[in-house]
Amino acid sequence: MSSSSSTSRPLPNGTLSTSTHRHHPPYSPRSSSFSSASFKGCCCCLFLLLSFLALLVLAVVLVVVLALKPKKPQFDLQQVGVQYMGITTPNTPTSPMASLSLNIRMVFTAVNPNKVGIKYSESRFTVMYRGIPLGRASVPGFVQEPHSQRQVDTTVAVDRVNLLQADAADLIRDASLNDRVELRILGDVAAKIRLLSFNSPGVQVSVDCAIVISPRKQSLTYKQCGFDGLSV
């Protein structure tokens, strides 16, 4: 069966001339379907490639972790010294406030038990007396070498912090009569394990120390610290 049609028309000599008109078949969407299938195939291959790379990176990280067996760094409060402490009471006895000025020097010991270096971020600590924040101290960030121990120090400078007279009187009594001032030091230490030029996800060590200082000797007489809920 032919898809062409013929038409006849008379010529000047009386004969008939036949012309043939061909009908083109309708447009087929096969090329568009082929392009869509090719695009889906490329996307599938790209997804499989990315999944493979992600699994490969995860496997390498697991191998490194199992080989290095990383441990949390140790960050301990070693020494506390009172450099200055002064309390100013108001001239009027009816005023309930008093001001406190205090300088405390704290020495921390950082121990890296790992086979790789550790990068510390800036750490901040709060010094409290009977639940009252007296001041804050900060330790600048630093990088510690593998299997090493390092001492870092900081100073808490309290400049005329207002206290209730009752709290100020307790502090004066503890410092002058009992030579025993109980303080609490709270803070978080953020560290990352450093391997070549890469840093691991952050590891946070919470520091909570209850200490007793002797203002006369300017020394630490008692210390009990907890790290992440573990008492040491």
Side-chain angles (χ1 to χ4, degrees):
M1 180 181 292
S2 175
S3 59
S4 61
S5 61
S6 300
T7 58
S8 300
R9 59 176 179 171
L11 295 178
N13 56 4
T15 61
L16 295 179
S17 174
T18 303
S19 62
T20 303
H21 300 279
R22 296 184 179 274
H23 296 278
H24 296 283
Y27 174 74
S28 175
R30 291 183 179 179
S31 59
S32 176
S33 300
F34 179 75
S35 300
S36 177
S38 300
F39 178 75
K40 291 181 179 179
C42 291
C43 291
C44 184
C45 292
L46 181 61
F47 175 77
L48 292 177
L49 178 61
L50 293 177
S51 301
F52 173 75
L53 292 177
L55 291 176
L56 181 61
V57 171
L58 181 60
V60 171
V61 171
L62 290 177
V63 170
V64 172
V65 169
L66 292 177
L68 297 178
K69 296 180 180 180
K71 300 177 183 178
K72 283 190 176 182
Q74 302 173 14
F75 206 86
D76 190 17
L77 178 63
Q78 194 70 26
Q79 300 176 9
V80 177
V82 181
Q83 298 176 336
Y84 171 78
M85 185 174 66
I87 298 176
T88 304
T89 57
N91 296 327
T92 57
T94 56
S95 177
M97 305 301 294
S99 62
L100 168 68
S101 297
L102 179 68
N103 278 359
I104 298 178
R105 179 175 177 268
M106 298 184 298
V107 179
F108 293 89
T109 300
V111 179
N112 181 10
N114 295 284
K115 301 177 182 179
V116 293
I118 291 180
K119 182 179 180 181
Y120 288 92
S121 302
E122 182 182 7
S123 305
R124 297 183 180 273
F125 301 93
T126 303
V127 179
M128 306 182 69
Y129 172 75
R130 297 191 176 185
I132 304 172
L134 298 181
R136 291 186 177 183
S138 62
V139 176
F142 61 94
V143 176
Q144 188 175 8
E145 298 298 324
H147 293 298
S148 63
Q149 180 174 320
R150 178 174 178 175
Q151 286 188 342
V152 291
D153 64 306
T154 183
T155 301
V156 181
V158 179
D159 186 18
R160 297 181 181 180
V161 173
N162 291 327
L163 298 175
L164 293 175
Q165 280 197 9
D167 297 324
D170 291 338
L171 184 57
I172 292 175
R173 183 179 63 254
D174 292 341
S176 59
L177 297 180
N178 302 329
D179 192 27
R180 176 185 172 89
V181 177
E182 298 182 7
L183 299 175
R184 187 179 181 185
I185 300 174
L186 302 173
D188 293 322
V189 179
K192 295 181 179 180
I193 296 177
R194 188 175 180 84
L195 180 62
L196 298 178
S197 299
F198 301 95
N199 296 324
S200 70
V203 177
Q204 184 168 297
V205 180
S206 299
V207 179
D208 185 355
C209 293
I211 65 173
V212 177
I213 58 176
S214 170
R216 296 175 187 173
K217 299 178 182 179
Q218 296 187 357
S219 61
L220 177 67
T221 60
Y222 174 81
K223 178 193 70 172
Q224 183 179 5
C225 291
F227 299 89
D228 288 341
L230 299 178
S231 298
V232 296

